[in-house]
Amino acid sequence: MTATRTEDRYLTRTPDEAALVSRSEPVVWPGAVKGPLDDTTLESYDSKGFLTVDDLLTPEEVLAYRHELDRLRTGEAVREDERTIVEKRSNEVRSIFEVHRTSEMIAKLAADPCVADRARQILGSDVYVHQSRVNFMPSFTGTGFYWHSDFETWHAEDGMPSMRAVSISIALTDNFPFNGGLMLMPGAHRSFVPCTGETPDDHYKESLKEQEVGVPSRSALTALAAEHGIEQFTGPAGSALMFDSNSMHGSGSNITPFARSNIFLVFNSVENTLVEPFAAASPRPDFIASRDFTPIGGISDS
Ligand code: 6CS
Ligand code: FE
């Protein structure tokens, strides 16, 4: 059943600015699924909208994934592939989507209990991969991403009904405060920020390079930052950040010699599968927003 706009709790991409909307859904879904996260960690995630995992990967695993990322981005054909996003100015490869389908290593990582069990525990259900990408933030010329909520885009352009998805960003290089590490506003995930501006056709062809539609107003960002502050995800290669689909986040550019790369996986609850977009003429391609809702693995018995 496709929700009509009148039933849409999270109206966005409207002509005029609208007030913040309080989140309807829980952040951590009632304890239907056990997992590796202890109560203190879950309470912190519930409150802030994100958590960090130290040493998710060993140094040897980090090296193996870095070789895999180099394999994935090598070759002229990669640049012509629609799943590859290149930097606007430098034309360097910035992101490659759908890597959970093109890389067996990354498919296994997504299904690994140390990743999938955390997602299932937070979302309280079986999960499937909504989106995967590897990100290369080049040294010296890496451009960041302006403030945004991923859910705002996934709701508007992919038809994701509710805030019942979680992302994990796994660092394959050291994340320093100065080389474009992700910034988040702790607690802002409890407010939905409607954005103005109609979604252009094929918006993803621009928004994945630089998002201009579907970004909050400066007044909304100023109010959120004043209320919640800003924290930055820093940590060594092998560490990971898990964050709620509606976390307000963004990243700066990278003018340092220290390149940044990560594996980015988005898990959506099988109870929250995509319907028609809520604020776009047509859904985005499957390589950006999967419509294969097959759960990964079963609920583990851990
Ligand atoms: O549009 C998207 O789905 C992607 N865009 C950003 C800026 N973050 C989340 C996601 O990968
Ligand atoms: Fe994002």
Side-chain angles (χ1 to χ4, degrees), residues 27-39 41-42 45 51 113 115-127 164 166 242 299-300 302:
V27 177
V28 177
W29 290 71
V33 179
K34 295 191 303 298
L37 298 167
D38 61 31
D39 290 348
T41 306
L42 283 174
Y45 179 86
L51 64 85
V115 174
D117 279 357
R118 285 179 162 88
R120 282 192 276 261
Q121 187 178 5
I122 288 171
L123 301 179
S125 73
D126 258 334
V127 297
R164 193 173 182 178
V166 58
M242 292 189 84
I299 289 191
S300 72
S302 65

Side-chain angles (χ1 to χ4, degrees), residues 1-3 155-160 274-283 291:
M1 188 273 285
T2 306
H155 184 70
E157 300 189 49
D158 300 338
M160 184 181 282
L274 308 185
V275 294
E276 284 307 301
F278 287 83
S282 52
R291 288 179 183 265

Side-chain angles (χ1 to χ4, degrees), residues 46-97:
D46 189 71
S47 157
K48 294 172 68 172
F50 55 88
L51 64 85
T52 54
V53 183
D54 298 333
D55 307 320
L56 183 78
L57 300 179
T58 64
E60 295 72 25
E61 287 170 327
V62 167
L63 269 182
Y65 283 108
R66 284 178 62 171
H67 288 145
E68 179 65 354
L69 263 65
D70 287 340
R71 180 187 73 80
L72 289 169
R73 72 165 164 182
T74 303
E76 260 322 291
V78 170
R79 286 173 188 286
E80 307 313 313
D81 191 316
E82 63 173 350
R83 294 169 295 188
T84 303
I85 308 295
V86 293
E87 289 272 1
K88 249 185 173 169
R89 279 170 279 281
S90 65
N91 202 37
E92 285 200 52
V93 172
R94 172 173 201 169
S95 300
I96 303 174
F97 279 82

Side-chain angles (χ1 to χ4, degrees), residues 266-281:
V266 183
F267 296 96
N268 190 23
S269 166
V270 292
E271 312 296 330
N272 190 38
T273 51
L274 308 185
V275 294
E276 284 307 301
F278 287 83

Side-chain angles (χ1 to χ4, degrees), residues 103-294:
S103 161
E104 199 176 319
M105 265 182 88
I106 294 175
K108 283 196 180 125
L109 177 60
D112 189 305
C114 75
V115 174
D117 279 357
R118 285 179 162 88
R120 282 192 276 261
Q121 187 178 5
I122 288 171
L123 301 179
S125 73
D126 258 334
V127 297
Y128 72 94
V129 177
H130 165 70
Q131 180 183 107
S132 69
R133 58 194 283 188
V134 288
N135 293 311
F136 306 89
M137 182 182 266
S139 51
F140 300 113
T141 61
T143 52
F145 256 109
Y146 191 67
W147 293 105
H148 64 281
S149 151
D150 293 342
F151 175 74
E152 192 279 341
T153 291
W154 297 340
H155 184 70
E157 300 189 49
D158 300 338
M160 184 181 282
S162 301
M163 298 175 185
R164 193 173 182 178
V166 58
S167 300
I168 184 165
S169 174
I170 303 166
L172 297 184
T173 52
D174 294 341
N175 282 355
F176 301 107
F178 44 68
N179 69 333
L182 206 62
M183 297 177 286
L184 307 103
M185 296 186 189
H189 62 303
R190 292 191 176 283
S191 302
F192 177 76
V193 183
C195 299
T196 57
E198 193 171 337
T199 307
D201 291 343
D202 289 342
H203 182 221
Y204 67 93
K205 291 180 179 169
E206 278 313 306
S207 68
L208 296 175
K209 289 177 188 255
E210 190 172 17
Q211 187 165 357
E212 289 171 1
V213 173
V215 293
S217 68
R218 290 184 175 180
S219 58
L221 289 168
T222 304
L224 284 174
E227 181 179 356
H228 301 291
I230 294 174
E231 288 187 21
Q232 186 168 41
F233 169 51
T234 56
S239 57
L241 170 79
M242 292 189 84
F243 57 104
D244 179 83
S245 61
N246 190 44
S247 293
M248 188 56 70
H249 63 285
S251 57
S253 60
N254 181 17
I255 59 169
T256 75
F258 307 106
R260 211 164 58 81
S261 63
N262 65 26
I263 297 170
F264 179 77
L265 302 167
V266 183
F267 296 96
N268 190 23
S269 166
V270 292
E271 312 296 330
N272 190 38
T273 51
L274 308 185
V275 294
E276 284 307 301
F278 287 83
S282 52
R284 297 196 298 177
D286 191 69
F287 72 83
I288 297 177
S290 174
R291 288 179 183 265
D292 170 3
F293 305 139
T294 312

